[in-house]
Amino acid sequence: MKIPKGKKVYFSSDNHLGAPTAAISKQKEAKFLRWLDEVKTDAAAIFLLGDLFDFWFEYKTVVPKGFVRVLGKLAEISDSGIPIHFFVGNHDLWMNGYFEEELNIPVYHQPKEFTLGNQLFFIGHGDGLGPDDKGFKRMKKIFTNPIAQWFFGWLHPDIGVRLASSLSRGNKLISGDDDVTFLGEENEWLVQYCKRKLTQKHRDHFVFGHRHLPMQIKLPENSLYTNLGDWCDHFTYATYDGQDMKLDHFKTTSL
């Protein structure tokens, strides 16, 4: 993908819309909408790296109530010709066609490589990778099991969404984000994962979310690991202009 002069590629992750309360979620959504309006002026592409929603499950004819403003804004940006790429997170992994059909936004369920400018990026949400995140790895086997999904799909949406939303907010094992403290470079399991991937093939950049910690760590072979942080506490995102990958903080006068 070429990056025209004056344009940037934007990366964002972990909005968790719908949590922890409806009121706070609306404030987060409003701030994210202001960010989208700002970045669309010079965006070559936008990458959303998962957990946009605190819970999302697509029934055959039903999607969760709410989020109409952010969905409408994403549709507007996509319709304008700016490509948007969405990676499912551990809170919104049950996507099955709605974004592709309604918003023309491709959805990825696994990390994926992209060539942006002249550099190779390895991009994903980050859940279940590396030697740790063990609690979520156990739960993900259940969440991604077709039989479990089939049974959940037979629950009435009022019951299924309420049950899953309650678990999503209250159970850190299910969230997979039970430790949002920086563990040190040698103990950050996504950093270890990146270093192992570098022994197999060179990538210039690794970009993930999930950890809710904005950070950039230099890796061997002039590679760079970037974690995007979140839109719950940090309100951080990353930009790439074809040369530099930078973390930034979205500042407004209100939440």
Side-chain angles (χ1 to χ4, degrees), residues 106-126:
V107 173
Y108 310 101
H109 291 261
Q110 300 293 335
K112 183 176 174 64
E113 289 183 351
F114 289 83
T115 299
L116 304 178
N118 62 355
Q119 295 193 324
L120 184 60
F121 282 68
F122 190 83
I123 302 170
H125 180 63

Side-chain angles (χ1 to χ4, degrees), residues 159-178:
I159 298 173
V161 172
R162 182 177 297 180
L163 172 63
S165 295
S166 177
L167 289 171
S168 176
R169 296 172 190 174
N171 192 316
K172 292 185 180 296
L173 179 63
I174 289 178
S175 297
D177 53 11
D178 56 329

